Amino acid sequence: MNIARDLYLTKLKNKKNNKMIKIITGLRRSGKSYLLDPIFKNSLLEDGVKGDHIIKIDLDSIENRELTTDGLKLYEFIMNKIKDNDMYYILLDEIQKVKDFESVLNSFLRKDNLDVYVTGSNSKFLSTDIITEFRGRGDEIRVYPLSFSEFYNAYEDKKKALKDYMTYGGMPYTLYLKGAEEKSEYLSNLFENTYLNDIIERNKIQREDILEAIINMLSSSVGSLTNPKKLCDTFVSNGYTEVNRNTINSYINYLQDAFLINKVERYDIKGKKYISTPSKYYFTDIGLRNARLNFRQQEEDHLMENIIYNELLTRGYNVDVGIIERFEKDNTEKTIRKQLEVDFVCNQASKRYYIQSAYAIPNKEKMEQEQKSLININDSFKKIIIVKDDINLWRNEEGILIIGLEEFLLNQNSLDL
């Protein structure tokens, strides 16, 4: 099965020969190695690059073990393959296997005819450390699990595809597995034996029980506002009096560094400022979240919200939770301040979209509820409500675009319809 990842291939091609190290990051098993080879390697060949000018090394292969023991050995091995002044493309998979790999990459940067691309898939490489090390000289390409439009290519039935996607997510290998049991077992083992173990090992975590409890809390409250203090209060109420906010904040940061979760801050739309707490958290892959909860909590409205968020990230948007403050009269005619929430405020260069995720809008009252925050925004940027139903898109009397989830996910231009 060939999974085309055209979005990322285009990004790599656009960054060719830019005098920077291309650093392919993202959640483990999300397809970074496959993107490098065969996808990008074949693209180079199709563009006329000679085969001997593409140096691809799988550093986790036993035949290349000797190259990982000393960065100088890898450097000399590659330089011995450089025979002329034409451009050479260096593709290094699992670069973190190499001792002192930072020095190796820095040395390559000094060579005008070397264009270097690297991936890594353990917690050291997936942390923000590698980007910090090459700040100003490294160009990050963030790879996400399969989007629904990528995932859908393996299916004939669109509704079946969406159902499976909301259950098992977009980790590429799940498409090769047959049946619910195989998929569930794979995702559960991946979470436990790969991601969790990496985080514990890298950060020398002593209280694994606290980390696992935090993961469970975040899994159970996808799209809900929370913060370390609120989580800490929960622990204390359950007898964990030794837990403090700093520990919880650190553990959440470890999960973010490993790309398992994403934190979304709140943005005051009228005040044009960020509100630091509370925030929302979404899982990079909804299948992993479901596996963590043994596929018990399948609230489709929350899953749908998480999927929309991930799709927006994949399309390159910066995403915040929007807040609109307004003053209303209560039953006693007393003026009270209320906060209305916009699920997603999406920015990309000069573009901005306001998006509400609504599982269903069965009647006028529900429509009024979902659009209330949107119609209180006093600017002309586009306002959109995404619903679960497969409907024909339309605009209501307030000028708000109503679009079905499938149309939104499958049409890359859906926000501009």
Side-chain angles (χ1 to χ4, degrees), residues 86-119:
D86 291 343
M87 186 62 70
Y88 283 75
Y89 295 88
I90 314 300
L91 314 182
L92 303 176
D93 195 26
E94 307 287 3
I95 187 63
Q96 83 288 336
K97 298 281 187 181
V98 179
K99 184 178 180 180
D100 196 24
F101 70 85
E102 297 90 345
S103 296
V104 177
L105 299 183
N106 278 322
S107 298
F108 288 152
L109 279 169
R110 301 186 183 98
K111 307 295 181 181
D112 290 336
N113 65 329
L114 299 186
D115 195 25
V116 183
Y117 302 76
V118 301
T119 75

Side-chain angles (χ1 to χ4, degrees), residues 5 18 25 74 92 97 146 158 231-232 246 288 292 294 319 328:
R5 311 220 66 182
N18 67 356
T25 65
L74 175 64
L92 303 176
K97 298 281 187 181
L146 299 177
K158 185 165 57 176
L231 293 173
C232 184
N246 290 335
L288 291 171
R292 179 64 193 180
N294 293 319
V319 185
E328 297 180 356

Side-chain angles (χ1 to χ4, degrees), residues 341-359:
E341 184 177 290
V342 179
D343 287 334
F344 303 118
V345 180
C346 314
N347 293 288
Q348 188 180 77
S350 61
K351 292 182 177 181
R352 173 176 285 189
Y353 305 91
Y354 300 109
I355 297 176
Q356 289 290 86
S357 171
Y359 184 75

